[in-house]
Amino acid sequence: KRALGRWELLGWINDFLCFDVSKVEDLGDGIAYCQILDAVYPGKVLLHKLNFGAKSTDEKLRNLRVLEKAMRDCGIDHVVHSDAIARGSFPENLAFLQFLHHFVQRTCPGAHLQYNPLGRRREAISMSPTKPTSADRASKSKGSFV
């Protein structure tokens, strides 16, 4: 089976998470990756520890550490090239998005049907020590972040 291209993957993740991301590189903050894993393994990703307004590479790396821990806790044996992903590397973000898509299709293809991405973001942001600004929310999702 062929790997999906960037446009198909962006459509998939935008539909799944009610996002409006136009570039694969913009996923380097780790938010979408964490939410996809949260949909497959509810409660295993500590979404409240994410910085939903992450801009710097260090902030993005902290988010990706949350993802890596959740993957270990869930027994997912896959290398995450966090440095490159956080820096916005197109090939690394595309490869990881392809991995996640394949993983979801293989393990829990209906995850998007029962997942409430807006509600989960809302809940995580309300518990988060680093709340995003309204500009951060508007830049990421359709209409509003939550």
Side-chain angles (χ1 to χ4, degrees):
K1 191 172 180 178
R2 75 173 183 85
L4 296 182
R6 80 173 106 174
W7 304 119
E8 294 162 306
L9 288 166
L10 284 171
W12 173 73
I13 206 156
N14 283 330
D15 289 346
F16 195 124
L17 299 177
C18 299
F19 274 176
D20 190 20
V21 177
S22 59
K23 293 174 15 182
V24 171
E25 302 92 301
D26 292 340
L27 299 172
D29 64 5
I31 302 295
Y33 301 143
C34 285
Q35 276 207 264
I36 293 291
L37 200 58
D38 183 60
V40 176
Y41 295 101
K44 296 287 187 181
V45 182
L46 302 176
L47 294 180
H48 68 278
K49 291 196 172 206
L50 298 175
N51 179 344
F52 285 85
K55 297 276 187 245
S56 73
T57 301
D58 285 341
E59 291 170 328
K60 294 173 185 180
L61 281 169
R62 280 191 286 280
N63 285 350
L64 290 165
R65 281 194 210 72
V66 171
L67 174 70
E68 291 170 342
K69 181 185 181 324
M71 289 176 67
R72 280 191 309 275
D73 292 349
C74 294
I76 301 169
D77 186 25
H78 184 82
V79 175
V80 180
H81 298 282
S82 295
D83 289 333
I85 288 172
R87 284 193 318 275
S89 163
F90 172 78
E92 291 299 339
N93 276 283
L94 181 63
F96 192 71
L97 187 55
Q98 286 172 330
F99 161 77
L100 270 183
H101 179 268
H102 179 72
F103 180 80
V104 169
Q105 297 311 311
R106 191 179 69 240
T107 51
C108 192
H112 67 287
L113 299 174
Q114 66 250 7
Y115 190 65
N116 178 356
L118 297 174
R120 291 293 288 142
R121 284 198 292 276
R122 209 176 285 124
E123 178 184 340
I125 289 168
S126 73
M127 297 170 55
S128 175
T130 54
K131 293 178 175 43
T133 66
S134 58
D136 294 329
R137 289 189 296 269
S139 71
K140 182 67 114 189
S141 71
K142 297 176 182 174
S144 76
F145 196 70
V146 291

